[in-house]
Amino acid sequence: MVDDAYYRDDIREFLGALSATEPNEVLDLLEHRIEYSERAPSGSQYLPIPYGWDENSPLQFRKSRSFVNVIRRVQNGPRFPQKDGTGSSTRRTCSPP
């Protein structure tokens, strides 16, 4: 079995750096990981996002030119299909300031 702790650190560093220039793509990835975890079998040990993000590789959405849009997107919440398979959205709406 491969010890993936080393790779997780590299991935966090990569996503931290990428979030400054490609924030929507990083947010897409994180949302898809959360969505996948919702479908994961009961008892699965899959963690979509680490509980603690390393201080040495923080997400840098704030440095992005589209920071305001990213914040609005996070505030509105991700679009996840309902567990009954209807594809209904759980996205909340947010009125512009």
Side-chain angles (χ1 to χ4, degrees):
M1 179 164 203
V2 174
D3 178 14
D4 63 344
Y6 173 79
Y7 298 105
R8 281 182 276 168
D9 289 343
D10 282 351
I11 291 169
R12 276 186 275 221
E13 283 183 41
F14 173 73
L15 292 176
L18 189 64
S19 64
T21 59
E22 302 294 336
N24 286 302
E25 286 73 8
V26 173
L27 192 54
D28 284 344
L29 174 73
L30 297 175
E31 285 181 348
H32 285 289
R33 289 183 59 83
I34 294 168
E35 180 180 356
Y36 175 82
S37 74
E38 291 290 317
R39 296 188 316 257
S42 179
S44 170
Q45 293 188 9
Y46 178 77
L47 294 175
I49 300 175
Y51 287 114
W53 203 278
D54 187 344
E55 290 179 3
N56 297 324
S57 57
L59 293 171
Q60 300 177 45
F61 292 115
R62 188 175 293 274
K63 292 182 179 179
S64 131
R65 290 180 180 221
S66 57
F67 175 65
V68 172
N69 292 333
V70 169
I71 289 299
R72 282 191 183 127
R73 185 173 159 192
V74 169
Q75 182 181 21
N76 288 338
R79 292 183 93 94
F80 296 143
Q82 297 294 320
K83 287 192 179 213
D84 65 4
T86 62
S88 301
S89 170
T90 58
R91 183 177 286 261
R92 297 181 310 271
T93 58
C94 174
S95 55

XYZ file of all heavy atoms in Angstrom:
786
model
N 0.845 -1.181 0.000
C 0.000 0.000 0.000
C 0.890 1.245 0.000
O 1.889 1.321 0.694
C -0.917 -0.028 1.218
C -1.800 1.159 1.316
S -3.129 0.810 2.478
C -4.289 1.966 1.904
N 0.483 2.238 -0.757
C 1.243 3.474 -0.882
C 0.855 4.415 0.256
O -0.320 4.608 0.536
C 0.948 4.152 -2.240
C 1.623 5.499 -2.315
C 1.363 3.251 -3.374
N 1.861 4.986 0.914
C 1.599 5.995 1.932
C 1.329 7.299 1.199
O 2.239 7.912 0.646
C 2.791 6.132 2.867
C 2.574 7.207 3.917
O 1.417 7.657 4.083
O 3.555 7.603 4.559
N 0.068 7.705 1.183
C -0.280 8.877 0.385
C -0.192 10.188 1.161
O -0.531 11.234 0.642
C -1.648 8.717 -0.259
C -2.780 8.603 0.740
O -2.493 8.349 1.923
O -3.937 8.777 0.342
N 0.292 10.168 2.405
C 0.421 11.415 3.177
C 1.330 12.401 2.453
O 1.050 13.595 2.400
C 0.945 11.129 4.573
N 2.405 11.897 1.877
C 3.340 12.747 1.139
C 2.635 13.419 -0.037
O 2.776 14.609 -0.273
C 4.520 11.914 0.638
C 5.445 12.671 -0.272
C 6.391 13.548 0.237
C 5.350 12.522 -1.657
C 7.242 14.257 -0.609
C 6.199 13.225 -2.505
C 7.133 14.083 -1.973
O 7.957 14.776 -2.806
N 1.847 12.641 -0.761
C 1.157 13.177 -1.925
C 0.081 14.175 -1.520
O -0.140 15.166 -2.204
C 0.558 12.053 -2.762
C 1.614 11.125 -3.288
C 1.802 9.867 -2.740
C 2.463 11.529 -4.311
C 2.800 9.023 -3.218
C 3.455 10.702 -4.791
C 3.617 9.448 -4.236
O 4.602 8.636 -4.711
N -0.568 13.938 -0.401
C -1.593 14.875 0.054
C -0.985 16.244 0.323
O -1.589 17.259 0.012
C -2.298 14.345 1.298
C -3.339 13.289 0.955
C -4.033 12.824 2.174
N -3.176 11.778 2.745
C -3.319 11.262 3.941
N -4.257 11.685 4.733
N -2.522 10.307 4.366
N 0.210 16.266 0.919
C 0.874 17.549 1.160
C 1.178 18.250 -0.156
O 0.972 19.461 -0.284
C 2.165 17.357 1.957
C 1.897 16.962 3.409
O 0.754 17.139 3.878
O 2.837 16.475 4.058
N 1.669 17.506 -1.142
C 1.952 18.093 -2.450
C 0.682 18.622 -3.109
O 0.679 19.695 -3.706
C 2.596 17.070 -3.384
C 4.063 16.849 -3.093
O 4.637 17.601 -2.278
O 4.642 15.923 -3.686
N -0.382 17.880 -2.986
C -1.650 18.301 -3.591
C -2.169 19.555 -2.911
O -2.634 20.486 -3.568
C -2.683 17.154 -3.544
C -2.243 16.052 -4.497
C -4.080 17.656 -3.879
C -3.016 14.767 -4.367
N -2.066 19.622 -1.592
C -2.502 20.834 -0.880
C -1.678 22.037 -1.315
O -2.223 23.125 -1.516
C -2.408 20.637 0.626
C -3.625 19.947 1.196
C -3.527 19.920 2.685
N -2.727 18.766 3.053
C -2.986 17.958 4.058
N -3.995 18.200 4.839
N -2.237 16.920 4.308
N -0.372 21.851 -1.458
C 0.477 22.956 -1.920
C 0.066 23.403 -3.315
O -0.032 24.597 -3.600
C 1.948 22.535 -1.928
C 2.584 22.526 -0.572
C 4.057 22.186 -0.642
O 4.742 22.688 -1.563
O 4.517 21.434 0.228
N -0.176 22.429 -4.191
C -0.577 22.737 -5.562
C -1.906 23.485 -5.585
O -2.040 24.519 -6.247
C -0.668 21.443 -6.373
C -1.224 21.647 -7.748
C -0.471 22.268 -8.728
C -2.510 21.228 -8.056
C -0.984 22.469 -10.005
C -3.027 21.421 -9.320
C -2.265 22.036 -10.304
N -2.900 22.986 -4.847
C -4.209 23.641 -4.832
C -4.132 25.020 -4.193
O -4.812 25.952 -4.630
C -5.234 22.771 -4.105
C -5.616 21.481 -4.815
C -6.557 20.664 -3.949
C -6.219 21.753 -6.174
N -3.298 25.164 -3.168
C -3.117 26.471 -2.541
C -2.598 27.484 -3.538
O -3.117 28.602 -3.639
N -1.572 27.112 -4.301
C -1.006 28.019 -5.304
C -1.990 28.261 -6.437
O -2.176 29.400 -6.896
C 0.305 27.454 -5.841
N -2.652 27.211 -6.902
C -3.570 27.330 -8.034
C -4.794 28.176 -7.692
O -5.347 28.858 -8.561
C -4.005 25.932 -8.495
C -4.790 25.843 -9.781
C -3.939 26.323 -10.957
C -5.278 24.421 -10.013
N -5.199 28.181 -6.432
C -6.401 28.923 -6.043
C -6.254 30.436 -6.253
O -7.247 31.138 -6.378
C -6.774 28.624 -4.593
O -5.770 29.072 -3.706
N -5.031 30.928 -6.332
C -4.817 32.358 -6.579
C -5.059 32.735 -8.035
O -5.488 33.848 -8.326
C -3.391 32.755 -6.178
N -4.808 31.797 -8.949
C -4.939 32.104 -10.374
C -6.131 31.427 -11.044
O -6.639 31.927 -12.041
C -3.662 31.702 -11.138
O -3.433 30.304 -10.951
C -2.468 32.502 -10.649
N -6.560 30.303 -10.513
C -7.681 29.543 -11.085
C -8.671 29.181 -9.978
O -8.929 28.006 -9.711
C -7.169 28.270 -11.770
C -6.174 28.507 -12.871
C -6.752 29.228 -14.065
O -7.977 29.173 -14.289
O -5.964 29.875 -14.789
N -9.248 30.180 -9.322
C -10.073 29.896 -8.154
C -11.321 29.070 -8.455
O -11.702 28.225 -7.654
C -10.441 31.282 -7.638
C -10.351 32.161 -8.838
C -9.218 31.604 -9.644
N -11.943 29.300 -9.594
C -13.162 28.556 -9.908
C -12.877 27.079 -10.132
O -13.667 26.223 -9.743
C -13.876 29.169 -11.108
C -14.547 30.466 -10.726
O -15.378 30.507 -9.830
N -14.160 31.543 -11.384
N -11.744 26.772 -10.739
C -11.388 25.380 -10.974
C -11.101 24.663 -9.657
O -11.498 23.517 -9.463
C -10.194 25.278 -11.918
C -10.523 25.584 -13.370
C -10.766 27.053 -13.673
O -10.551 27.921 -12.798
O -11.191 27.346 -14.806
N -10.422 25.350 -8.745
C -10.145 24.746 -7.434
C -11.450 24.551 -6.670
O -11.687 23.488 -6.086
C -9.142 25.598 -6.623
C -8.994 25.076 -5.204
C -7.786 25.633 -7.323
N -12.313 25.539 -6.704
C -13.599 25.423 -6.025
C -14.435 24.306 -6.640
O -15.084 23.538 -5.916
C -14.338 26.755 -6.069
C -15.553 26.892 -5.170
C -15.236 26.569 -3.722
C -16.114 28.305 -5.287
N -14.413 24.176 -7.976
C -15.109 23.063 -8.639
C -14.618 21.723 -8.103
O -15.416 20.844 -7.778
C -14.880 23.077 -10.155
C -15.678 24.129 -10.887
O -16.646 24.670 -10.309
O -15.326 24.421 -12.050
N -13.305 21.568 -8.036
C -12.725 20.320 -7.552
C -13.177 20.023 -6.127
O -13.612 18.899 -5.824
C -11.199 20.378 -7.608
C -10.496 19.183 -6.980
C -10.645 17.948 -7.861
C -9.046 19.495 -6.721
N -13.107 21.008 -5.260
C -13.502 20.794 -3.870
C -14.986 20.463 -3.765
O -15.383 19.570 -3.009
C -13.140 22.018 -3.027
C -11.644 22.327 -2.938
C -11.419 23.629 -2.166
C -10.863 21.189 -2.334
N -15.828 21.141 -4.546
C -17.259 20.842 -4.534
C -17.538 19.435 -5.053
O -18.378 18.721 -4.508
C -18.034 21.875 -5.362
C -18.171 23.202 -4.684
C -18.960 24.214 -5.501
O -19.222 23.980 -6.706
O -19.304 25.262 -4.932
N -16.830 19.025 -6.105
C -17.029 17.677 -6.643
C -16.613 16.614 -5.635
O -17.235 15.560 -5.545
C -16.272 17.496 -7.956
C -16.917 18.191 -9.104
N -18.094 17.789 -9.681
C -16.551 19.313 -9.770
C -18.432 18.601 -10.653
N -17.508 19.546 -10.728
N -15.563 16.894 -4.882
C -15.124 15.946 -3.847
C -16.192 15.820 -2.754
O -16.457 14.734 -2.264
C -13.785 16.375 -3.255
C -12.625 16.188 -4.240
C -11.303 16.554 -3.616
N -10.993 15.765 -2.436
C -10.445 14.551 -2.444
N -10.135 13.987 -3.594
N -10.197 13.920 -1.314
N -16.812 16.940 -2.396
C -17.890 16.894 -1.397
C -19.081 16.126 -1.949
O -19.671 15.287 -1.269
C -18.291 18.317 -0.964
C -17.132 18.975 -0.213
C -19.553 18.290 -0.107
C -17.298 20.458 0.004
N -19.418 16.388 -3.199
C -20.535 15.688 -3.834
C -20.272 14.184 -3.866
O -21.144 13.380 -3.559
C -20.744 16.216 -5.253
C -21.884 15.558 -5.980
C -22.071 16.095 -7.389
O -21.356 17.037 -7.787
O -22.931 15.546 -8.092
N -19.056 13.799 -4.227
C -18.699 12.381 -4.259
C -18.856 11.767 -2.870
O -19.362 10.653 -2.731
C -17.267 12.204 -4.767
C -16.806 10.771 -4.707
C -17.161 9.882 -5.715
C -16.043 10.309 -3.647
C -16.758 8.560 -5.663
C -15.638 8.997 -3.587
C -15.992 8.114 -4.593
O -15.601 6.807 -4.523
N -18.449 12.482 -1.838
C -18.544 11.937 -0.481
C -19.995 11.699 -0.076
O -20.279 10.808 0.710
C -17.846 12.846 0.532
O -18.596 14.009 0.776
N -20.918 12.499 -0.630
C -22.338 12.305 -0.349
C -22.845 10.986 -0.920
O -23.780 10.398 -0.406
C -23.160 13.463 -0.921
C -22.941 14.780 -0.216
C -23.532 14.788 1.176
O -24.662 14.304 1.354
O -22.847 15.280 2.092
N -22.208 10.517 -1.995
C -22.611 9.259 -2.636
C -21.788 8.069 -2.164
O -22.078 6.942 -2.526
C -22.474 9.386 -4.151
C -23.375 10.415 -4.776
C -23.316 10.347 -6.301
N -21.972 10.201 -6.826
C -21.255 11.176 -7.365
N -21.739 12.380 -7.442
N -20.041 10.946 -7.833
N -20.739 8.333 -1.389
C -19.849 7.258 -0.940
C -20.631 6.277 -0.073
O -21.573 6.655 0.626
C -18.676 7.835 -0.156
N -20.253 5.005 -0.138
C -20.944 3.994 0.667
C -20.893 4.330 2.155
O -19.931 4.935 2.631
C -20.160 2.713 0.392
C -19.347 2.980 -0.820
C -19.156 4.457 -0.907
N -21.921 3.924 2.853
C -21.968 4.124 4.295
C -20.752 3.460 4.939
O -20.374 2.355 4.566
C -23.258 3.509 4.843
O -23.317 3.674 6.228
N -20.134 4.146 5.861
C -18.950 3.615 6.528
C -17.654 3.906 5.802
O -16.587 3.534 6.265
N -17.749 4.573 4.674
C -16.555 4.917 3.914
C -15.694 5.886 4.723
O -16.202 6.726 5.447
C -16.947 5.569 2.587
O -15.831 6.112 1.945
N -14.391 5.773 4.575
C -13.485 6.680 5.281
C -12.988 7.798 4.356
O -12.002 8.461 4.656
C -12.314 5.894 5.857
C -12.758 4.950 6.948
C -11.584 4.305 7.653
O -10.434 4.671 7.462
N -11.881 3.326 8.474
N -13.678 7.998 3.255
C -13.311 9.041 2.293
C -13.473 10.413 2.931
O -14.515 10.736 3.490
C -14.201 8.924 1.056
C -13.953 9.983 0.013
C -12.858 9.896 -0.828
C -14.801 11.059 -0.121
C -12.617 10.867 -1.790
C -14.579 12.036 -1.075
C -13.483 11.935 -1.901
O -13.243 12.889 -2.842
N -12.446 11.227 2.877
C -12.502 12.602 3.373
C -12.411 13.540 2.181
O -11.377 13.624 1.536
C -11.342 12.884 4.332
C -11.347 12.125 5.642
C -10.081 12.415 6.427
C -12.575 12.495 6.457
N -13.478 14.273 1.879
C -13.466 15.141 0.704
C -12.506 16.310 0.829
O -11.896 16.721 -0.142
C -14.905 15.615 0.595
C -15.479 15.453 1.943
C -14.747 14.314 2.579
N -12.391 16.844 2.026
C -11.521 17.987 2.281
C -10.860 17.754 3.631
O -11.527 17.348 4.578
C -12.325 19.301 2.305
C -13.011 19.527 0.967
C -11.453 20.491 2.655
C -13.930 20.718 0.915
N -9.569 18.020 3.742
C -8.907 17.816 5.033
C -9.531 18.684 6.130
O -9.959 19.812 5.862
C -7.465 18.252 4.786
C -7.313 18.423 3.335
C -8.668 18.552 2.736
N -9.582 18.154 7.327
C -10.108 18.942 8.443
C -9.225 20.146 8.723
O -9.701 21.207 9.074
C -10.231 18.087 9.710
C -11.365 17.103 9.634
C -11.124 15.745 9.608
C -12.684 17.544 9.587
C -12.169 14.845 9.537
C -13.737 16.652 9.504
C -13.467 15.302 9.486
O -14.494 14.409 9.410
N -7.944 19.981 8.579
C -7.017 21.086 8.780
C -6.178 21.282 7.537
O -5.576 20.346 7.044
N -6.206 22.467 7.017
C -5.403 22.760 5.827
C -4.075 23.317 6.319
O -4.051 24.238 7.140
C -6.116 23.772 4.931
C -5.657 23.713 3.522
C -4.545 24.293 3.006
C -6.274 23.028 2.436
N -4.440 24.023 1.667
C -5.494 23.240 1.290
C -7.415 22.257 2.319
C -5.815 22.722 0.048
C -7.738 21.746 1.092
C -6.939 21.968 -0.026
N -2.987 22.796 5.833
C -1.647 23.176 6.266
C -1.414 24.678 6.122
O -1.679 25.254 5.074
C -0.625 22.404 5.429
C 0.802 22.570 5.887
O 1.088 23.503 6.655
O 1.636 21.756 5.470
N -0.921 25.313 7.175
C -0.643 26.753 7.124
C 0.395 27.103 6.064
O 0.431 28.226 5.574
C -0.117 27.239 8.480
C -1.130 27.240 9.571
C -0.530 27.706 10.888
O 0.660 28.078 10.925
O -1.253 27.694 11.876
N 1.236 26.160 5.713
C 2.290 26.414 4.734
C 1.770 26.440 3.298
O 2.491 26.830 2.387
C 3.400 25.372 4.852
C 4.078 25.437 6.201
O 4.251 26.515 6.762
N 4.435 24.292 6.736
N 0.551 25.978 3.086
C -0.016 25.958 1.734
C -1.486 26.375 1.773
O -2.351 25.629 1.345
C 0.133 24.569 1.120
O -0.491 23.609 1.945
N -1.782 27.559 2.286
C -3.183 27.972 2.404
C -3.835 28.199 1.041
O -3.153 28.495 0.060
C -3.097 29.285 3.178
C -1.755 29.824 2.828
C -0.869 28.612 2.674
N -5.136 28.047 1.021
C -5.873 28.428 -0.178
C -5.753 29.942 -0.317
O -5.784 30.678 0.669
C -7.332 27.994 -0.069
C -7.547 26.481 -0.065
C -8.991 26.155 0.266
C -7.146 25.883 -1.397
N -5.616 30.410 -1.542
C -5.342 31.824 -1.784
C -6.407 32.484 -2.646
O -6.113 33.317 -3.494
C -3.964 31.960 -2.443
C -2.854 31.400 -1.593
C -1.518 31.496 -2.301
O -1.178 32.523 -2.875
N -0.759 30.416 -2.250
N -7.655 32.123 -2.427
C -8.740 32.710 -3.205
C -8.728 34.231 -3.112
O -9.035 34.924 -4.065
C -10.093 32.186 -2.716
C -10.319 30.731 -2.994
C -10.427 29.826 -1.956
C -10.432 30.271 -4.285
C -10.650 28.484 -2.202
C -10.657 28.928 -4.552
C -10.768 28.031 -3.507
N -8.350 34.756 -1.963
C -8.365 36.200 -1.748
C -7.447 36.938 -2.730
O -7.705 38.086 -3.081
C -7.946 36.509 -0.320
C -8.110 37.956 0.068
C -7.792 38.181 1.529
N -8.743 37.545 2.414
C -9.888 38.092 2.807
N -10.228 39.277 2.379
N -10.697 37.448 3.613
N -6.397 36.290 -3.215
C -5.469 36.926 -4.154
C -5.992 36.935 -5.588
O -5.426 37.580 -6.456
C -4.120 36.208 -4.120
C -3.379 36.398 -2.819
C -2.042 35.706 -2.866
C -1.281 35.907 -1.573
N 0.011 35.215 -1.598
N -7.048 36.212 -5.832
C -7.585 36.086 -7.182
C -8.356 37.348 -7.584
O -8.942 38.035 -6.753
C -8.490 34.859 -7.234
O -9.709 35.116 -7.806
N -8.348 37.634 -8.875
C -9.110 38.779 -9.396
C -10.610 38.572 -9.264
O -11.367 39.526 -9.251
C -8.767 39.017 -10.860
C -7.381 39.529 -11.054
C -7.100 39.739 -12.522
N -5.762 40.237 -12.678
C -5.421 41.174 -13.526
N -6.323 41.686 -14.334
N -4.184 41.591 -13.590
N -11.019 37.326 -9.183
C -12.458 37.039 -9.088
C -12.869 36.660 -7.668
O -13.834 35.935 -7.463
C -12.836 35.944 -10.076
O -12.081 34.778 -9.845
N -12.155 37.202 -6.691
C -12.418 36.871 -5.294
C -13.879 37.113 -4.905
O -14.511 36.272 -4.274
C -11.482 37.661 -4.365
C -11.761 37.459 -2.912
C -11.572 36.215 -2.327
C -12.195 38.509 -2.119
C -11.814 36.022 -0.978
C -12.440 38.317 -0.766
C -12.252 37.074 -0.200
N -14.433 38.241 -5.289
C -15.819 38.565 -4.926
C -16.772 37.515 -5.493
O -17.681 37.054 -4.799
C -16.197 39.988 -5.398
C -17.681 40.250 -5.206
C -15.372 41.024 -4.661
N -16.561 37.111 -6.736
C -17.424 36.089 -7.337
C -17.270 34.743 -6.638
O -18.240 34.006 -6.470
C -17.124 35.942 -8.828
C -17.530 37.167 -9.601
O -18.438 37.905 -9.205
N -16.836 37.422 -10.696
N -16.047 34.422 -6.250
C -15.799 33.160 -5.539
C -16.528 33.176 -4.200
O -17.176 32.201 -3.827
C -14.288 32.919 -5.350
C -14.022 31.777 -4.393
C -13.618 32.660 -6.687
N -16.443 34.290 -3.493
C -17.122 34.398 -2.195
C -18.633 34.272 -2.374
O -19.301 33.586 -1.603
C -16.764 35.734 -1.492
C -15.322 35.685 -1.015
C -17.699 36.029 -0.336
C -15.020 34.593 -0.015
N -19.164 34.906 -3.395
C -20.613 34.782 -3.651
C -20.983 33.333 -3.939
O -22.007 32.835 -3.483
C -21.022 35.669 -4.823
C -21.144 37.101 -4.436
C -21.811 37.902 -5.533
N -21.849 39.301 -5.131
C -21.405 40.295 -5.854
N -20.895 40.079 -7.047
N -21.472 41.520 -5.413
N -20.146 32.689 -4.711
C -20.402 31.284 -5.053
C -20.378 30.413 -3.802
O -21.249 29.565 -3.620
C -19.353 30.822 -6.062
C -19.580 29.456 -6.563
C -18.603 29.138 -7.670
N -18.511 27.703 -7.792
C -17.610 27.079 -8.480
N -16.692 27.761 -9.137
N -17.590 25.778 -8.543
N -19.416 30.628 -2.934
C -19.341 29.860 -1.687
C -20.540 30.185 -0.807
O -21.161 29.303 -0.221
C -18.013 30.146 -0.945
C -18.035 29.571 0.456
C -16.834 29.604 -1.739
N -20.896 31.450 -0.746
C -22.033 31.866 0.072
C -23.325 31.216 -0.416
O -24.160 30.816 0.381
C -22.173 33.383 0.043
C -23.293 33.911 0.909
C -23.416 35.416 0.843
O -22.956 36.044 -0.111
N -24.027 36.009 1.830
N -23.472 31.106 -1.723
C -24.677 30.503 -2.288
C -24.712 28.997 -2.103
O -25.769 28.391 -2.184
C -24.801 30.841 -3.774
C -25.166 32.278 -4.000
O -25.708 32.942 -3.123
N -24.853 32.776 -5.176
N -23.559 28.409 -1.886
C -23.493 26.970 -1.658
C -23.378 26.201 -2.959
O -23.746 26.683 -4.026
N -22.842 24.997 -2.871
C -22.680 24.156 -4.068
C -24.006 23.594 -4.550
O -24.968 23.523 -3.795
C -21.750 23.046 -3.598
C -21.984 22.981 -2.131
C -22.324 24.372 -1.678
N -24.035 23.195 -5.804
C -25.213 22.529 -6.373
C -24.978 21.033 -6.275
O -24.112 20.502 -6.945
C -25.381 22.903 -7.833
C -25.755 24.317 -8.061
C -25.966 24.554 -9.532
N -27.341 24.373 -9.891
C -28.248 25.342 -9.954
N -27.930 26.529 -9.706
N -29.479 25.112 -10.277
N -25.726 20.378 -5.433
C -25.614 18.932 -5.293
C -26.964 18.303 -5.596
O -27.995 18.798 -5.154
C -25.217 18.530 -3.874
C -23.863 19.013 -3.459
C -23.637 19.418 -2.171
C -22.813 19.070 -4.353
C -22.391 19.854 -1.773
C -21.565 19.504 -3.971
C -21.355 19.900 -2.677
N -26.951 17.186 -6.332
C -28.207 16.471 -6.546
C -28.741 15.937 -5.223
O -27.972 15.627 -4.326
C -27.818 15.309 -7.465
C -26.446 15.600 -7.931
C -25.832 16.573 -6.990
N -30.035 15.857 -5.121
C -30.648 15.280 -3.931
C -30.356 13.786 -3.881
O -30.129 13.152 -4.904
C -32.162 15.519 -3.945
C -32.554 16.985 -3.906
C -32.158 17.640 -2.608
O -32.289 17.053 -1.549
N -31.653 18.856 -2.697
N -30.385 13.209 -2.693
C -30.093 11.782 -2.552
C -31.121 10.911 -3.259
O -30.845 9.779 -3.592
C -30.004 11.409 -1.074
C -28.737 11.937 -0.444
C -28.514 11.340 0.903
C -27.229 11.910 1.438
N -26.512 11.009 2.260
N -32.328 11.443 -3.515
C -33.339 10.641 -4.202
C -33.109 10.597 -5.710
O -33.861 9.981 -6.452
C -34.742 11.156 -3.891
C -34.997 12.569 -4.421
O -34.111 13.139 -5.096
O -36.083 13.091 -4.150
N -32.031 11.267 -6.181
C -31.681 11.204 -7.594
C -32.437 12.167 -8.477
O -32.333 12.111 -9.690
N -33.214 13.068 -7.894
C -34.016 13.974 -8.710
C -33.186 15.045 -9.390
O -33.646 15.688 -10.314
C -35.097 14.680 -7.862
O -34.449 15.459 -6.857
C -36.054 13.679 -7.252
N -31.973 15.268 -8.904
C -31.151 16.313 -9.491
C -31.545 17.695 -9.032
O -31.062 18.685 -9.536
N -32.435 17.770 -8.056
C -32.825 19.072 -7.528
C -31.629 19.754 -6.909
O -30.722 19.113 -6.415
C -33.911 18.908 -6.461
O -35.023 18.267 -7.006
N -31.657 21.039 -6.925
C -30.534 21.796 -6.392
C -30.738 22.095 -4.921
O -31.845 22.364 -4.482
C -30.404 23.111 -7.158
O -29.487 23.951 -6.527
N -29.642 22.043 -4.177
C -29.680 22.480 -2.787
C -29.041 23.852 -2.664
O -28.799 24.323 -1.583
C -28.940 21.487 -1.866
O -27.598 21.374 -2.312
C -29.608 20.141 -1.861
N -28.777 24.481 -3.798
C -28.131 25.789 -3.793
C -29.087 26.830 -3.208
O -30.236 26.914 -3.581
C -27.745 26.194 -5.214
C -27.011 27.515 -5.262
C -26.588 27.833 -6.661
N -25.473 27.013 -7.064
C -24.216 27.407 -7.046
N -23.920 28.615 -6.664
N -23.265 26.604 -7.433
N -28.549 27.608 -2.283
C -29.310 28.717 -1.727
C -29.097 29.917 -2.649
O -28.097 30.020 -3.330
C -28.821 29.042 -0.322
C -29.037 27.913 0.647
C -28.554 28.300 2.030
N -27.221 28.857 2.071
C -26.109 28.150 2.212
N -26.173 26.859 2.317
N -24.923 28.744 2.259
N -30.014 30.806 -2.616
C -29.841 32.001 -3.437
C -29.374 33.162 -2.569
O -29.657 33.211 -1.379
C -31.159 32.375 -4.143
O -32.160 32.581 -3.146
C -31.577 31.297 -5.107
N -28.687 34.054 -3.174
C -28.157 35.229 -2.480
C -28.454 36.440 -3.335
O -28.152 36.462 -4.516
C -26.657 35.059 -2.288
S -25.860 36.505 -1.608
N -29.044 37.428 -2.735
C -29.310 38.642 -3.517
C -28.054 39.497 -3.560
O -27.277 39.529 -2.609
C -30.472 39.404 -2.906
O -30.213 39.681 -1.555
N -27.823 40.161 -4.680
C -26.648 41.011 -4.805
C -26.672 42.130 -3.767
O -27.753 42.558 -3.356
C -26.735 41.592 -6.211
C -27.845 40.889 -6.899
C -28.644 40.168 -5.865
N -25.485 42.597 -3.369
C -25.440 43.679 -2.364
C -26.014 44.973 -2.909
O -26.113 45.232 -4.045
C -23.963 43.827 -2.066
C -23.224 43.086 -3.103
C -24.191 42.187 -3.799
